[in-house]
Amino acid sequence: MNNPNTNCWYADNPNNFFFSFRASANRSSTALPLVCNSGFLLLDSGEGDPSFIYRCQDRYFAYNSMVGLRSIFFVLNDEHFDIYTQSIENLRQRLLESDAWNGVWGNLFLPEPCFLPCDIYRCEVPFTPLLERQMQRLEVRDSINATGLFCNQVSPTLSLLLGQWLQHIRDIVPSFIDFYKLALSGEIAIRFHDKLSYVKLLQAVPEDTLPLHAPTITLTIEELLDIRTWSDLSQRFIAATNDAISPTAFYIKSSFDSGGNAAAILTQKDYGEKYAAFKEELLGSLSLMDSSYCLAELRAAISAQQTWSAMTLPEETLAAYATAWTKKRSQQPLSIIVQRHIRRTAKPDTLLPYGIGYNLWIAPSGDCKVLAIAAQVYSDPEYKHHLGAWLSTDLANRIANLIPFAKVRNLASQFVLEGYCGPIGFDAILNESGEYEFIYDCNPRLTAVFPALAVRTFLIKQGFVVESVLNLDYRGRFQLADRQTMNKLSERGWLFEPNRPSGILYVPSLAKQDGFDVVMVNMSLEEMNAAVLSGLLGDGRDDDKGTITRLYC
């Protein structure tokens, strides 16, 4: 993509995917840089339990490798380290299996991660024999000396843990990370993870200088509970926004959660039922009931994870994690975002996606570049269960022409004035008039667009022309099919092969036992849906998100 309206397409430079922290100029141009690609922002917001930082990092190992980065993996103890060692060896074997069909992974080097011991409950990186052994590895030392550190997301807890690590290795590599910048970035990111901060940030900015934003009001939980009827909510909304369009439906969501969590669409007809369900979901997600809710969620999440289901975890450890999660959730100053529900255009000739992620990378200078404009793909018609990001050069150019980049740049500049730099994403929805309305959903991190970006970058380096990439989740939801099924995929033209670089790629994942991610390259939406509906991929069953029977975009 090279659209003059968007300044540039920045997705071919992995250095600009991430937050970057370096204390001095590069000292090594050949070593692999280190990357911490995990879920610390979601941990500190209370959206993820303490074990989430161990489980989340498993999703990205192959993708980090595709863009030439050495992963940092936090491990609980030596048993956890041994499980990782075995799991990574298993993944290398599965990479060979998928390469026998796709023929593209022969040049993919999977560097051994840098393992850091971490007791997340105590927020401690202890100096252990394991850490000492890791720091004695020459390739790890070279990586530390390379370019500092890259992170997909930052938070106060990550700053604390990495600060302890820096103290342990100060005699090896003094100050290779700009710790002050890391700590400041973590504080800014956790602030803007709360959508209320986004709303407040733009209150004094002239509307005509910004991309179109959906009329929005905010409520405290107490205010929400006091609103009993549709009429009460509608009158309050109209009075606060002066919205010229009479609302026929409202979209309400938690200000401190991802869009698919603690959210609902309310209409006058179903208000009572949907309002009660939303309230129950919200209170449950806040863990205001009791910690048994968190404990049950935690057990389910761990049982589905390859590197954690094999761990010997005492019941008191799980209980401590659940209690910490409950406390974190209950301490969040949560607000409710209320918007007029944006209905998709009914025009049959509209081929634009309903939801998009407009991803930017903000440089330390304050200049911003387009990282990716991605269509958001879901597994359900209500657009609640997000599957992945669809990068399409054609779609991105058409979307970019609808949203003046000068206004996007001005939106980004408001965050720059607050000290923000690094990756950031904004969600927008296509309305009935064919315009995109930004919905005050800011992701102060590298979003789920990363797997598609990584595959795109890797394939381009291998000499392939890549017009589009869609990842169907990134948690190892699929299995590599048997030979007969793979032959059928090939016969129908749905399997990516070197002589036909269009179709399905299988990417082995650490997230689930023998799990693969499915990535669809250079396929139209019709072709991708046909492949899903054929049943040849399997159902991609997931305990949280159900099965994949169709793609909604």
Side-chain angles (χ1 to χ4, degrees):
M1 175 183 176
N2 188 14
N3 189 315
N5 182 47
T6 59
N7 203 15
C8 79
W9 173 259
Y10 230 42
D12 294 328
N13 188 349
N15 287 342
N16 299 316
F17 290 178
F18 302 95
F19 293 95
S20 178
F21 306 102
R22 62 190 72 174
S24 59
N26 297 356
R27 286 164 284 188
S28 171
S29 59
T30 58
L32 299 179
L34 290 170
V35 63
C36 177
N37 210 336
S38 189
F40 280 93
L41 182 61
L42 300 186
L43 170 73
D44 277 11
S45 73
E47 193 170 346
D49 70 87
S51 74
F52 183 68
I53 63 113
Y54 303 113
R55 296 183 288 108
C56 182
Q57 62 193 4
D58 292 1
R59 304 171 181 179
Y60 302 113
F61 176 59
Y63 301 109
N64 294 339
S65 303
M66 289 180 197
V67 294
L69 301 176
R70 186 183 303 279
S71 302
I72 288 178
F73 275 178
F74 292 92
V75 292
L76 183 61
N77 51 33
D78 286 349
E79 179 192 14
H80 199 191
F81 167 76
D82 290 340
I83 291 171
Y84 264 119
T85 301
Q86 297 166 10
S87 298
I88 290 172
E89 183 58 35
N90 175 268
L91 185 142
R92 290 192 170 101
Q93 294 302 314
R94 288 186 287 123
L95 188 68
L96 294 176
E97 294 173 15
S98 60
D99 188 56
W101 293 102
N102 291 137
V104 298
W105 303 127
N107 293 324
L108 178 57
F109 172 59
L110 299 175
E112 193 74 13
C114 170
F115 293 96
L116 299 183
C118 172
D119 185 337
I120 192 60
Y121 181 70
R122 294 181 172 84
C123 287
E124 180 183 9
V125 173
F127 188 82
T128 66
L130 171 60
L131 179 62
E132 191 171 17
R133 292 195 303 272
Q134 291 295 303
M135 293 304 101
Q136 289 172 352
R137 292 169 51 196
L138 292 179
E139 69 273 23
V140 169
R141 290 190 179 210
D142 286 343
S143 288
I144 291 174
N145 276 302
T147 56
L149 177 72
F150 294 127
C151 300
N152 68 323
Q153 53 185 260
V154 290
S155 80
T157 295
L158 178 62
S159 302
L160 177 64
L161 294 174
L162 292 180
Q164 295 175 27
W165 180 39
L166 289 175
Q167 286 297 311
H168 293 322
I169 64 172
R170 60 187 182 277
D171 293 335
I172 301 174
V173 184
S175 303
F176 84 100
I177 296 175
D178 185 341
F179 181 74
Y180 174 77
K181 180 182 175 184
L182 173 63
L184 180 62
S185 297
E187 295 293 341
I188 296 172
I190 195 67
R191 173 186 165 198
F192 284 110
H193 184 69
D194 185 351
K195 301 172 184 65
L196 180 62
S197 296
Y198 182 178
V199 175
K200 290 180 176 180
L201 182 67
L202 301 189
Q203 284 178 340
V205 183
E207 291 183 5
D208 60 355
T209 68
L210 298 167
L212 178 64
H213 277 69
T216 299
I217 66 171
T218 61
L219 302 171
T220 65
I221 293 181
E222 292 74 20
E223 288 173 329
L224 179 71
L225 297 178
D226 283 341
I227 295 176
R228 304 292 182 180
T229 67
W230 168 267
S231 178
D232 291 342
L233 181 60
S234 183
Q235 290 176 12
R236 181 163 188 152
F237 184 84
I238 292 171
T241 63
N242 294 317
D243 192 4
I245 302 175
S246 180
T248 57
F250 288 108
Y251 179 60
I252 60 174
K253 58 188 176 183
S254 155
S255 69
F256 228 70
D257 290 277
S258 300
N261 301 327
I265 298 172
L266 306 179
T267 66
Q268 186 171 6
K269 181 179 179 180
D270 60 18
Y271 180 82
E273 176 187 351
K274 291 287 187 68
Y275 168 79
F278 173 74
K279 182 173 68 172
E280 182 178 353
E281 180 184 12
L282 184 67
L283 295 179
S285 70
L286 283 171
S287 303
L288 296 179
M289 296 178 181
D290 55 60
S291 60
S292 61
Y293 170 88
C294 284
L295 188 56
E297 291 285 304
L298 181 57
R299 286 194 180 114
I302 288 176
S303 66
Q305 190 81 13
Q306 177 181 198
T307 56
W308 266 72
S309 59
M311 287 276 289
T312 305
L313 292 171
E315 189 65 21
E316 53 266 27
T317 298
L318 295 181
Y321 281 4
T323 300
W325 189 16
T326 302
K327 183 178 180 180
K328 178 76 73 174
R329 289 293 291 176
S330 63
Q331 289 175 340
Q332 300 303 339
L334 187 65
S335 297
I336 307 301
I337 304 291
V338 182
Q339 297 171 337
R340 171 178 40 80
H341 175 51
I342 303 171
R343 299 186 184 277
R344 183 171 186 167
T345 177
K347 298 176 182 178
D349 59 340
T350 297
L351 300 177
L352 294 170
Y354 178 53
I356 64 167
Y358 203 124
N359 297 272
L360 303 172
W361 188 80
I362 300 176
S365 65
D367 189 24
C368 76
K369 309 289 185 180
V370 177
L371 178 59
I373 302 174
Q376 296 171 338
V377 177
Y378 297 80
S379 61
D380 65 297
E382 289 78 28
Y383 296 88
K384 288 194 69 173
H385 299 306
H386 184 257
L387 273 178
W390 184 19
L391 298 183
S392 163
T393 301
D394 175 61
L395 278 180
N397 277 314
R398 285 194 280 135
I399 294 167
N401 286 327
L402 295 176
I403 308 171
F405 185 67
K407 294 188 175 185
V408 176
R409 183 191 288 116
N410 189 41
L411 171 61
S413 71
Q414 308 308 313
F415 290 83
V416 171
L417 291 173
E418 301 298 314
Y420 193 94
C421 68
I424 191 168
F426 301 96
D427 290 347
I429 300 293
L430 188 69
N431 65 21
E432 292 181 297
S433 301
E435 300 174 291
Y436 278 102
E437 293 188 42
F438 284 58
I439 57 172
Y440 291 98
D441 199 329
C442 160
N443 296 294
R445 55 188 168 87
L446 178 60
T447 67
V449 74
F450 173 62
L453 282 174
V455 171
R456 180 183 186 276
T457 301
F458 178 78
L459 290 177
I460 288 174
K461 287 184 177 179
Q462 303 307 306
F464 294 104
V465 175
V466 182
E467 295 295 335
S468 67
V469 181
L470 168 65
N471 58 287
L472 294 188
D473 208 1
Y474 44 93
R475 298 188 292 178
R477 292 175 64 162
F478 294 88
Q479 301 290 313
L480 193 65
D482 57 44
R483 180 175 295 275
Q484 182 180 6
T485 301
M486 297 295 282
N487 282 329
K488 288 182 180 179
L489 287 172
S490 179
E491 291 167 4
R492 298 189 187 187
W494 293 338
L495 192 64
F496 188 103
E497 298 170 280
N499 61 346
R500 188 181 58 219
S502 171
I504 295 165
L505 281 172
Y506 283 89
V507 180
S509 174
L510 283 177
K512 285 192 177 180
Q513 183 71 36
D514 298 326
F516 285 81
D517 296 335
V518 163
V519 181
M520 296 177 159
V521 181
N522 294 338
M523 298 176 74
S524 68
L525 183 60
E526 291 76 18
E527 290 173 321
M528 293 188 291
N529 255 322
V532 170
L533 291 169
S534 72
L536 294 176
L537 302 181
D539 60 14
R541 180 174 295 277
D542 181 89
D543 291 339
D544 291 335
K545 299 185 178 181
T547 60
I548 301 173
T549 57
R550 184 183 168 186
L551 307 180
Y552 295 86
C553 179

